[in-house]
Amino acid sequence: MQTSSSIDDLLATLGIDVERHEHDAVFTCEEAERAVPDTGAVRTKNLFLRDKRARRHVLLVATCAKSVNLRAFADQIGADNLSFASAERLARYLGVTPGAVTVLGLSNDTARDVELYVDEEVWRAERLHAHPLVNTATLVLTHDGLARFLAHTGHTPAVVRIA
């Protein structure tokens, strides 16, 4: 299982440069906006979801500026009744706790059980924010860095439009 310190090592090994901002624990986009300086990078929220039968596990990365309608998103991806996954599932699939959900948690999904969906606005951004598996720091990484990380984990993002 990757940890906050080992994810830094992994990113360095992959040649992914990041800008790191340490801060108090944040649990919402509003708290993160107050805690992390304006870097010009897109601020993201990460929703870890499961379907009604817990057969599908979905990570959605969207901008903080957007409100996500789970019913509409479920219809968009052909899922049955999406809801937030439990803290236990967060730990099992992504190796994180509530408040620390991050695309970088996919480094712990070696079985590739998690489906990744990225809002097109996030995918088109040159730089984005991501937690390093804890919610007491925020990393700024480039689009190319994210693409390199996802190629390493074997996760292919499905780019979607969140209204």
Side-chain angles (χ1 to χ4, degrees):
M1 235 351 136
Q2 293 284 342
T3 64
S4 180
S5 59
S6 66
I7 196 72
D8 291 340
D9 295 339
L10 174 61
L11 294 173
T13 299
L14 295 174
I16 300 170
D17 293 325
V18 298
E19 179 182 318
R20 186 180 187 95
H21 298 275
E22 301 286 340
H23 49 73
D24 291 336
V26 295
F27 294 90
T28 65
C29 283
E30 292 77 19
E31 290 174 353
E33 188 167 341
R34 289 191 298 272
V36 180
D38 185 1
T39 63
V42 69
R43 294 176 184 268
T44 61
K45 62 178 157 190
N46 298 267
L47 308 179
F48 189 56
L49 309 165
R50 55 164 275 212
D51 71 351
K52 183 177 183 178
R53 293 185 180 89
R55 291 187 183 144
R56 290 178 70 183
H57 292 86
V58 172
L59 177 61
L60 171 62
V61 183
T63 69
C64 282
K66 293 188 177 182
S67 177
V68 178
N69 178 324
L70 291 185
R71 185 174 302 215
F73 178 61
D75 289 345
Q76 188 176 3
I77 67 168
D80 186 24
N81 279 343
L82 288 178
S83 62
F84 288 97
S86 66
E88 182 179 83
R89 288 178 191 276
L90 277 174
R92 182 176 354 146
Y93 290 97
L94 299 179
V96 299
T97 58
V101 180
T102 174
V103 68
L104 299 178
L106 293 173
S107 61
N108 289 320
D109 180 34
T110 55
R112 290 186 287 288
D113 291 322
V114 177
E115 299 171 35
L116 174 62
Y117 292 87
V118 180
D119 178 55
E120 65 184 0
E121 192 173 328
V122 173
W123 190 249
R124 286 194 320 253
E126 288 182 31
R127 298 176 349 129
L128 67 137
H129 286 189
H131 287 310
L133 306 183
V134 293
N135 63 347
T136 55
T138 298
L139 303 180
V140 178
L141 62 153
T142 65
H143 172 86
D144 289 342
L146 175 62
R148 195 173 320 139
F149 170 80
L150 293 174
H152 172 77
T153 67
H155 291 84
T156 302
V159 179
V160 294
R161 171 179 251 170
I162 302 297

